[in-house]
Amino acid sequence: GRPVRIVVAGKKDAECGGEVEEALAQIESNRLIHLDEQLSDSMLDELIRAVDVVFLSYERGWSSGFAMLVLSNRGRVLGSRLPVFTDLRETFGAPWVYQYATPSELQSILNTIAETRPTTADEMRLAKMLNDMSFAVGAQTLKTFYEELTQRLKCCITYYQ
């Protein structure tokens, strides 16, 4: 497969352990680009769409709004074995979400990513899943639930009077 270029954007969290550096040390330095600056929203969206995968190097945590931003831009996510990434992988699957357990496993996963491109069917499935998770769909579902509940309660109130 073709080599994957990796862009590392942002500043390292002071509390972050050495696992990220160990994982990145496995990658050839000519394939790494470091952006140590604050990116505007439009620059970030453009970067997500331009790269093969966004590597979210969280070593602890319980959610990732950034992973959802990546997916909403039709980008692919590579994360650790944190439960948040396991949930995302189980929900969205390949070719959208990948996980690594050890730094040595990273090269093999990057090769898979380089050799795999989302198909039109993959993109349509992702778009449907993201739509189903949208605030608009959630709000409509909640509205329908309360309308049905209100109707049931009216029936119950009428019945017991």
Side-chain angles (χ1 to χ4, degrees):
R2 63 182 179 74
V4 175
R5 300 203 58 191
I6 299 173
V7 177
V8 179
K11 298 185 185 291
K12 177 186 164 201
D13 186 334
E15 295 181 22
C16 214
E19 185 175 318
V20 173
E21 284 79 16
E22 186 180 341
L24 291 175
Q26 303 291 320
I27 307 302
E28 299 155 12
S29 63
N30 65 339
R31 291 173 55 194
L32 286 173
I33 300 168
H34 290 268
L35 299 176
D36 195 18
E37 61 187 84
Q38 180 73 33
L39 301 177
S40 69
D41 290 347
S42 62
M43 286 174 58
L44 190 55
D45 290 344
E46 186 178 328
L47 181 62
I48 289 168
R49 288 189 295 271
V51 299
D52 293 305
V53 66
V54 175
F55 175 40
L56 299 178
S57 58
Y58 309 159
E59 294 177 358
R60 63 177 175 267
W62 58 271
S63 70
S64 178
F66 195 78
M68 293 306 295
L69 175 67
V70 171
L71 291 167
S72 71
N73 275 289
R74 307 300 186 263
R76 298 189 285 174
V77 173
L78 171 58
S80 66
R81 291 288 178 190
L82 283 177
V84 62
F85 297 120
T86 301
D87 290 345
L88 287 170
R89 183 181 45 78
E90 289 172 357
T91 300
F92 293 97
W96 302 110
V97 180
Y98 298 87
Q99 287 181 281
Y100 74 98
T102 63
S104 60
E105 189 175 53
L106 200 53
Q107 186 63 54
S108 160
I109 293 169
L110 290 174
N111 288 339
T112 298
I113 291 168
E115 295 165 1
T116 308
R117 287 277 171 247
T119 64
T120 301
D122 291 328
E123 292 200 9
M124 290 173 59
R125 181 177 56 90
L126 177 65
K128 181 182 180 339
M129 293 173 80
L130 290 171
N131 181 65
D132 290 348
M133 294 176 164
S134 71
F135 287 113
V137 171
Q140 183 58 49
T141 302
L142 190 60
K143 179 181 178 236
T144 301
F145 168 78
Y146 281 117
E147 287 170 346
E148 291 173 0
L149 181 61
T150 302
Q151 290 303 315
R152 287 183 188 154
L153 289 174
K154 284 180 184 177
C155 290
C156 292
I157 291 169
T158 303
Y159 178 74
Y160 287 112
Q161 286 180 345

